[in-house]
Amino acid sequence: DRREFKSAAYHNTLTINGRDPFEYLTTWSFGPQKTGAILDVRLKAACKTVIARHDNYEPAIHYRAVSIIENALVLVLDWVENLKPGDLLQLYFHLDSVQVDWDTKTGCAETHDEGNANLIIMPGADLSGELLPGRISDFIDITRPSTRLRLTASRSEKTSRALATVIVPWPASSSRPLVGAPQI
């Protein structure tokens, strides 16, 4: 359980070829970790952005920008440089919901929880999705079910890739926003 909970596939992050960015050794110890850093923070009224980089997949380098735009949506941009041709990229989003649908026509995931905030996750055109079971632990040794979304980029011979995901939250007390598949 601890290995699973601490894996990259249980967090909101990117993996390359399904591999964790560093090795899990025991309950409280991990293998060597490479440099990771926040490169920039921009806090403007309409757009708040953080840009980070980590080197755990060297020689590949992963950058991520997360922007909150107009307090209405979240834009997640991932780009990876120095990939090997054929490397496969996966993005994971761990959702605090068991009421999640994946719409194969629009390529979007959507939560449906009464009384809680909901999300629409709209990946870029190069990503296919799959819903996976998950678990959340609010207290030590107690879990409850959740859902994980794995987005997988199509295989490519490119050595640099960029992936975009738009997340639109809305409060349970309001109507679902009118959004469709992203044109990213």
Side-chain angles (χ1 to χ4, degrees):
D1 282 351
R2 289 179 198 260
R3 180 180 303 275
E4 186 174 76
F5 276 115
K6 293 178 182 183
S7 72
Y10 262 66
H11 290 81
N12 302 310
T13 192
L14 173 137
T15 61
I16 299 175
N17 300 319
R19 184 171 65 87
D20 280 325
F22 43 85
E23 185 181 10
Y24 173 92
L25 299 174
T26 65
T27 299
W28 300 111
S29 65
F30 297 89
Q33 298 178 40
K34 304 220 171 138
T35 303
I38 302 295
L39 301 178
D40 196 9
V41 176
R42 303 278 171 109
L43 301 174
K44 303 293 181 187
C47 183
K48 298 162 185 71
T49 301
V50 175
I51 301 172
R53 165 194 168 138
H54 82 81
D55 301 347
N56 283 301
Y57 293 113
E58 282 184 333
I61 306 299
H62 173 217
Y63 297 89
R64 175 171 272 189
V66 177
S67 295
I68 300 171
I69 301 170
E70 297 283 342
N71 288 328
L73 65 90
V74 177
L75 173 63
V76 180
L77 296 173
D78 289 283
W79 64 99
V80 185
E81 298 174 353
N82 304 321
L83 289 164
K84 295 177 190 157
D87 276 348
L88 199 57
L89 303 178
Q90 301 86 23
L91 296 175
Y92 286 90
F93 292 94
H94 197 156
L95 309 172
D96 189 1
S97 177
V98 292
Q99 303 296 321
V100 183
D101 291 323
W102 174 257
D103 186 328
T104 56
K105 290 180 184 174
T106 63
C108 297
E110 184 173 343
T111 64
H112 303 281
D113 291 306
E114 283 189 38
N116 293 320
N118 283 292
L119 300 171
I120 300 171
I121 300 176
M122 300 177 292
D126 190 30
L127 294 163
S128 60
E130 178 181 10
L131 298 178
L132 304 169
R135 292 182 295 153
I136 291 176
S137 177
D138 297 311
F139 304 99
I140 294 175
D141 296 330
I142 298 174
T143 66
R144 60 185 170 82
S146 63
T147 305
R148 296 176 299 129
L149 171 63
R150 178 176 55 208
L151 301 172
T152 303
S154 58
R155 198 168 293 276
S156 173
E157 297 303 305
K158 295 178 182 178
T159 58
S160 294
R161 300 285 303 271
L163 307 172
T165 309
V166 175
I167 303 169
V168 180
W170 77 94
S173 60
S174 67
S175 301
R176 178 190 187 278
L178 298 174
V179 295
Q183 301 300 312
I184 300 173

